[in-house]
């Protein structure tokens, strides 16, 4: 369990040091693109994915408004290649 920049494992506070420098415990970390918190939850990861999805979809919509001459097939292609992979 994370507590005050340290970790308690089996009721014992674990103090990690490398060359005498204390290493602080992280509340969340990213591994292979997945955000995980100290309890193994993916709440942070889901939040980051939703932010990226909103950003990419708003960018796409803003771009499409500037040039209204896109065909429906091209707009569908953009949506499938730019937005859907970020949201999944």
């Amino acid at each position: 369990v994370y507590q005050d920049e340290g970790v308690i494992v089996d009721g014992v506070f674990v103090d990690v040091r490398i060359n005498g420098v204390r290493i602080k415990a992280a509340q969340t970390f990213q591994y292979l693109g997945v955000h995980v918190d100290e309890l193994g939850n993916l709440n942070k990861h889901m939040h980051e994915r939703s932010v990226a999805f909103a950003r990419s979809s708003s960018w796409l919509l803003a771009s499409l408004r500037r040039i209204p001459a896109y065909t429906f097939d091209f707009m569908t292609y953009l949506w499938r290649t730019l937005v859907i992979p970020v949201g999944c």
Side-chain angles (χ1 to χ4, degrees):
V1 176
Y2 179 85
Q3 180 182 352
D4 299 326
E5 299 178 353
V7 178
I8 297 177
V9 179
D10 294 331
V12 178
F13 182 78
V14 177
D15 187 26
V16 178
R17 294 180 182 271
I18 297 177
N19 293 331
V21 178
R22 183 170 180 237
I23 305 299
K24 297 178 183 178
Q27 289 182 338
T28 62
F29 64 95
Q30 185 176 2
Y31 181 71
L32 297 176
V34 178
H35 294 270
V36 182
D37 68 2
E38 72 271 12
L39 299 176
N41 294 328
L42 297 175
N43 296 337
K44 173 79 171 166
H45 178 71
M46 296 309 292
H47 172 71
E48 293 294 327
R49 298 310 309 156
S50 65
V51 168
F53 181 77
R55 184 175 44 237
S56 65
S57 61
S58 65
W59 173 83
L60 179 62
L61 291 175
S63 298
L64 292 177
R65 286 186 189 135
R66 290 187 194 129
I67 304 172
Y70 289 133
T71 64
F72 179 77
D73 292 337
F74 184 67
M75 289 174 26
T76 306
Y77 168 76
L78 288 177
W79 184 262
R80 277 194 237 135
T81 57
L82 297 175
V83 178
I84 290 177
V86 174
C88 296

